[in-house]
Amino acid sequence: MLLDTKDSIMEKLEILSDAAKYDVACTSSGCERAGDGSHMGNCLVSGVCHSFSADGRCISLLKILMTNHCIFDCRYCQNRVSNDVRRAVFSPEEICTLTMEFYRRNYIEGLFLSSGIIKSPSVTMELLYETVRRLRVVHGFRGYIHLKAIPGADPLLVGKAGYFADRMSVNLELPTAEGLRTLAPHKTRKTILAPMRQIQLRHNQSREELMVYRHAKEFVPAGQSTQMIIGATQETDYQILSVAENLYQKFDLKRVFYSAFVNVNEKDRLLPVTPEGPPLWREHRLYQADWLLRYYHFRAKELLDEEHPHFNRYLDPKCSWAVGHLEQFPVEMNRADYHMLLRVPGIGVKSALRIVKARRFGSVSFEDLKKMGVVLKRALYFITCNGKMLYPTRLDENYIVRNLLDNERKGPQFSGEASYRQLSLFS
Amino acid sequence: MYALMCEDSINGVFSGIYEAWAGKYNRDEVVLRTGAVCNFELFMEYRQIQEDAEAAQKVANTLRRRFGEETYERICYALWSDGEDKADAVYRMVRYGIEHNCGAGFRNHLTNEAVRRVFELWRAAFNEAHHYLGFLRFSELKNGVLCANISARHQVLEPLAMHFADRLPKENWLICEKNRGLAAVHPAGMDWFLTKEEQISTLSGEKRSTSDEEFASMWRCFCNSVSIEARENLELQKKNFPLRFRQEVL
Ligand code: SF4
């Protein structure tokens, strides 16, 4: 295979950032590391956004492929071997130069490095490993590194690479094994889950070592994440959310990312046609539900079930749940426990915490709630302060839904054909 | 009533708090102000408070000891904000904390008016500083110095300088704040300091290095190509990315 060393670094960057853009993970969060007084870089646990691209997503890391050469033929991917596209390869040193120079100008928080499969999974992983090793050891870089583990690569290489990365990820690609079989014939559940398990075990082990021995090296301190493509295969939202819940519970994943399917190989008859463009609203609902799983103590089966396997297009999952469980409302702000506060639409994790803390020193009023960040125009149907509601409202499903929808429609999110009568809300 | 007129800095306001506590006044009859007096109020006596580093240090130590680092940091950010009432809000919050013998958690007593005001001021200044952590851009000058310009509402130079001193310890860099004509200067391997911008005009007048233009255009190329056309959403971009930052970033 021809290694295109003649391309300028600019041309390579254009090709290899374009090829990496369908990987949606962009965060630089989850890892706190102070500077050491001599080398370049530190990490902030909250992550930092450095720009926003024209699709509205945050740019935080230099997100590139090492190469878009690939011997695999995943149907949904523009880099697949059967496509005739311009190909390029970065050398490890080129990647280091770009990362260091971008970082010192404060363009980025760090590097997100993935790759097509060049020659074999192990050869690819070896090159990825060499790149991050060089960046850390030769250039002394202390910023954030997110590295892909290549399914099917020698576990030894994955094990070594994790000591130089802050986060690693193996993409699940498609929610079910059948999906994988049809659309990613070179990948299997097994080759994907094996490195995921390895990273999980090694990460937990290194945490234990750290407790005993302060200078033990940490293995992927920011944990691991994964990504699924939404809408390329037939899975329901309920199936997808249950897979995510499983991954959080059984593999200790930090994040599951969802990527609305963008059809880049339109002639492929195995891929669905998407005349309305990528299913962005579905992706949006999945992210909302994902937050409910991770921070709001919801279970997948509370939000959806076999009979109602899809999200409501017009109402977010938390509101949907609340209007379906009106018997649990209204909630008294001066008494309800933290767990119940979290279930009220319009109350987020931060404001729930603030409410719990503030009411130790006096009773909270609607005015206080507003100052604490509660979105009253959503919450008002579900709460009381000292026994009183903000306005006299009816605790009635249709009434509340109509008012909530009025709010949502005024927002910029989804325009178009949404008339409230057309909705089959709980069907 | 007495208005203690403090200098607009952390040390300035802390000096004012020290003065208010020194026993010369009835604490109920004191308000703290920063900046110049615009409207003289009837029955108000104005006292100019000189910044006193030693007194300020004592106040800082007390606040840290009694209320912990996080509350102390919140007070600092509030004093970096552009709130006109910030000095008095901090004074009243500190008074409340000390008189009620509060511990570290009292920054969350949001039902108290002063605590809540400091909370609002902290959030405004902190958010702007956090935006700049990402949106500030250094360009490299011919002499290798990294130079950034910002025009901030709040006094975010100090928190930014602390952040970049930790991140880029072996670089020569400076951040110029246009609205106040101040700059934070960091010579490689040394401590940073604040100075008037005009005193370093020779430095920032220097031309950009040639490689800097190349990296800047590679960065622009990268930002364009990572966007997915099928998902283009300029509304969302605008919402996430306020125009006033965008001009400085690209
Ligand atoms: S392995 Fe599959 S998804 Fe990854 S670059 Fe190759 S073809 Fe694309």
Side-chain angles (χ1 to χ4, degrees):
Chain A
M1 199 175 292
L2 224 169
L3 298 191
D4 322 272
T5 43
K6 61 189 184 308
D7 285 341
S8 77
I9 197 162
M10 176 80 127
E11 280 169 296
K12 292 185 189 182
L13 180 64
E14 195 178 348
I15 297 170
L16 294 171
S17 57
D18 184 80
K21 69 187 174 191
Y22 296 101
D23 225 301
V24 291
C26 70
T27 94
S28 53
S29 59
C31 177
E32 182 83 22
R33 179 165 56 237
D36 67 356
S38 60
H39 297 99
M40 187 165 81
N42 60 11
C43 290
L44 268 60
V45 72
S46 60
V48 179
C49 271
H50 286 257
S51 192
F52 288 90
S53 50
D55 52 20
R57 295 185 303 166
C58 146
I59 301 177
S60 160
L61 303 171
L62 170 63
K63 190 194 295 179
I64 47 173
L65 299 190
M66 181 183 69
T67 178
N68 63 341
H69 283 283
C70 193
I71 55 171
F72 283 7
D73 202 29
C74 308
R75 314 296 289 232
Y76 48 82
C77 176
Q78 63 178 359
N79 308 320
R80 63 188 194 175
V81 65
S82 54
N83 276 7
D84 180 24
V85 294
R86 274 177 77 202
R87 310 264 174 183
V89 189
F90 272 132
S91 71
E93 188 54 33
E94 283 170 333
I95 295 174
C96 292
T97 306
L98 272 177
T99 308
M100 296 299 280
E101 293 296 335
F102 277 15
Y103 192 84
R104 68 191 274 267
R105 288 167 174 77
N106 204 37
Y107 297 165
I108 53 171
E109 280 303 285
L111 173 68
F112 176 110
L113 186 60
S114 178
S115 185
I117 315 291
I118 193 162
K119 293 199 178 110
S120 77
S122 289
V123 168
T124 311
M125 197 65 226
E126 174 95 57
L127 283 165
L128 291 177
Y129 164 73
E130 173 51 22
T131 308
V132 289
R133 189 199 64 81
R134 185 177 271 267
L135 191 54
R136 289 284 193 228
V137 177
V138 180
H139 296 267
F141 180 67
R142 293 174 59 82
Y144 195 89
I145 298 180
H146 180 146
L147 184 69
K148 284 276 154 196
I150 304 293
D154 182 349
L156 262 176
L157 292 166
V158 175
K160 286 200 294 183
Y163 286 104
F164 295 116
D166 292 293
R167 170 167 286 179
M168 284 183 90
S169 59
V170 193
N171 284 353
L172 196 66
E173 309 290 12
L174 297 158
T176 58
E178 296 89 85
L180 217 50
R181 254 194 305 279
T182 24
L183 295 189
H186 295 91
K187 291 177 181 165
T188 63
R189 256 302 153 81
K190 210 169 135 231
T191 54
I192 291 171
L193 294 183
M196 218 184 247
R197 181 68 80 201
Q198 184 197 353
I199 293 167
Q200 174 199 23
L201 295 177
R202 200 63 206 87
H203 173 73
N204 292 345
Q205 191 188 338
S206 93
R207 293 239 126 149
E208 281 165 26
E209 285 163 9
L210 264 173
M211 279 190 261
V212 186
Y213 175 52
R214 200 160 50 88
H215 297 293
K217 274 178 90 184
E218 212 174 343
F219 189 89
V220 291
Q224 67 172 324
S225 63
T226 191
Q227 141 171 346
M228 288 186 254
I229 302 167
I230 302 309
T233 39
Q234 292 305 316
E235 293 87 0
T236 63
D237 293 337
Y238 180 49
Q239 278 176 303
I240 296 168
L241 198 64
S242 304
V243 169
E245 186 172 53
N246 249 300
L247 290 170
Y248 286 127
Q249 287 170 354
K250 304 226 173 87
F251 288 84
D252 304 328
L253 289 199
K254 279 282 160 2
R255 286 292 298 271
V256 174
F257 291 95
Y258 309 90
S259 167
F261 172 62
V262 179
N263 196 337
V264 290
N265 299 318
E266 281 175 359
K267 293 208 185 89
D268 195 316
R269 56 187 174 74
L270 282 183
L271 295 173
V273 269
T274 49
E276 292 173 16
L280 292 175
W281 73 270
R282 228 185 131 189
E283 178 194 283
H284 181 64
R285 289 283 179 255
L286 279 162
Y287 276 117
Q288 290 175 320
D290 186 271
W291 277 86
L292 296 180
L293 296 186
R294 286 186 297 137
Y295 297 113
Y296 290 77
H297 310 282
F298 276 93
R299 306 285 314 274
K301 64 172 188 280
E302 289 183 278
L303 300 169
L304 299 169
D305 53 46
E306 297 290 353
E307 271 100 70
H308 311 96
H310 290 288
F311 288 116
N312 189 302
R313 183 154 185 172
Y314 304 102
L315 216 51
D316 70 65
K318 197 176 176 188
C319 283
S320 276
W321 179 84
V323 292
H325 293 82
L326 286 179
E327 74 285 354
Q328 306 199 22
F329 296 99
V331 169
E332 169 54 45
M333 291 295 102
N334 286 297
R335 264 200 317 275
D337 65 7
Y338 175 67
H339 190 76
M340 194 60 212
L341 289 176
L342 285 179
R343 299 200 157 212
V344 178
I347 299 185
V349 173
K350 268 195 197 154
S351 28
L353 270 175
R354 283 179 195 144
I355 294 169
V356 173
K357 285 179 180 161
R359 67 189 183 186
R360 287 193 209 132
F361 312 103
S363 94
V364 296
S365 65
F366 285 106
E367 190 53 28
D368 295 329
L369 291 179
K370 207 164 143 192
K371 295 260 163 71
M372 292 178 210
V374 174
V375 187
L376 280 181
K377 68 177 185 204
R378 281 166 168 270
L380 68 94
Y381 308 98
F382 305 100
I383 61 173
T384 57
C385 279
N386 298 315
K388 288 205 193 65
M389 298 193 92
L390 181 56
Y391 309 118
T393 61
R394 272 178 286 150
L395 206 55
D396 168 81
E397 199 168 300
N398 284 327
Y399 172 80
I400 296 176
V401 167
R402 193 165 54 237
N403 282 292
L404 285 173
L405 284 177
D406 275 350
N407 279 335
E408 183 141 337
R409 225 173 320 149
K410 278 179 205 134
Q413 295 271 26
F414 307 109
S415 58
E417 74 304 7
S419 124
Y420 145 75
R421 299 212 173 279
Q422 285 174 293
L423 312 180
S424 48
L425 275 175
F426 309 107
S427 64
Chain B
M1 287 296 276
Y2 298 92
L4 306 188
M5 305 302 295
C6 310
E7 281 176 47
D8 189 358
S9 66
I10 291 180
N11 275 351
V13 174
F14 283 1
S15 307
I17 292 178
Y18 188 82
E19 180 74 10
W21 235 265
K24 296 178 216 162
Y25 306 93
N26 174 349
R27 282 176 219 156
D28 287 331
E29 292 181 358
V30 171
V31 293
L32 260 62
R33 301 276 164 82
T34 52
V37 191
C38 308
N39 297 309
F40 281 95
E41 292 155 67
L42 223 49
F43 310 119
M44 185 71 93
E45 267 190 55
Y46 293 88
R47 298 277 166 86
Q48 207 65 44
I49 303 298
Q50 288 305 323
E51 194 175 298
D52 175 347
E54 210 176 300
Q57 192 57 49
K58 283 186 191 154
V59 172
N61 292 344
T62 307
L63 297 182
R64 286 182 132 127
R65 198 176 56 241
R66 296 197 54 158
F67 307 135
E69 280 305 314
E70 261 183 84
T71 303
Y72 177 72
E73 192 187 294
R74 181 167 296 186
I75 289 173
C76 291
Y77 271 99
L79 291 176
W80 285 325
S81 79
D82 70 347
E84 283 179 9
D85 58 336
K86 62 187 179 183
D88 204 49
V90 166
Y91 168 63
R92 282 179 293 116
M93 169 166 167
V94 168
R95 239 191 102 176
Y96 169 82
I98 290 179
E99 290 175 359
H100 292 78
N101 225 342
C102 298
F106 97 106
R107 65 176 178 280
N108 298 311
H109 297 202
L110 295 185
T111 45
N112 175 279
E113 187 275 327
V115 175
R116 188 159 74 200
R117 182 65 186 142
V118 169
F119 169 81
E120 285 165 0
L121 296 172
W122 158 74
R123 193 159 53 176
F126 180 85
N127 283 348
E128 189 180 51
H130 196 80
H131 269 114
Y132 271 119
L133 291 188
F135 296 152
L136 175 147
R137 294 287 178 263
F138 286 112
S139 358
E140 187 192 53
L141 306 178
K142 279 222 156 65
N143 56 13
V145 174
L146 296 171
C147 179
N149 291 312
I150 61 172
S151 313
R153 266 179 216 156
H154 308 286
Q155 301 173 22
V156 293
L157 263 186
E158 275 115 318
L160 289 177
M162 288 190 253
H163 171 78
F164 286 106
D166 186 60
R167 176 166 284 202
L168 306 172
K170 285 288 155 66
E171 300 276 354
N172 292 304
W173 52 254
L174 64 139
I175 305 171
C176 302
E177 210 281 289
K178 295 291 165 195
N179 291 345
R180 293 178 185 76
L182 282 176
V185 181
H186 178 270
M190 295 203 261
D191 286 336
W192 62 274
F193 55 90
L194 285 183
T195 176
K196 290 242 171 358
E197 198 190 346
E198 64 229 30
Q199 289 175 339
I200 43 160
S201 55
T202 43
L203 248 181
S204 55
E206 187 97 0
K207 286 233 166 46
R208 279 171 82 186
S209 71
T210 31
S211 65
D212 195 63
E213 185 43 56
E214 281 168 33
F215 283 111
S217 59
M218 284 193 227
W219 166 245
R220 281 191 296 270
C221 154
F222 171 75
C223 288
N224 288 332
S225 66
V226 289
S227 177
I228 300 176
E229 304 84 68
R231 301 181 58 122
E232 188 159 294
N233 186 343
L234 297 177
E235 273 298 305
L236 184 60
Q237 185 192 29
K238 205 157 83 195
K239 194 177 121 210
N240 285 334
F241 198 6
L243 278 172
R244 89 185 169 91
F245 288 114
R246 242 191 280 182
Q247 290 154 355
E248 292 168 8
V249 166
L250 296 174

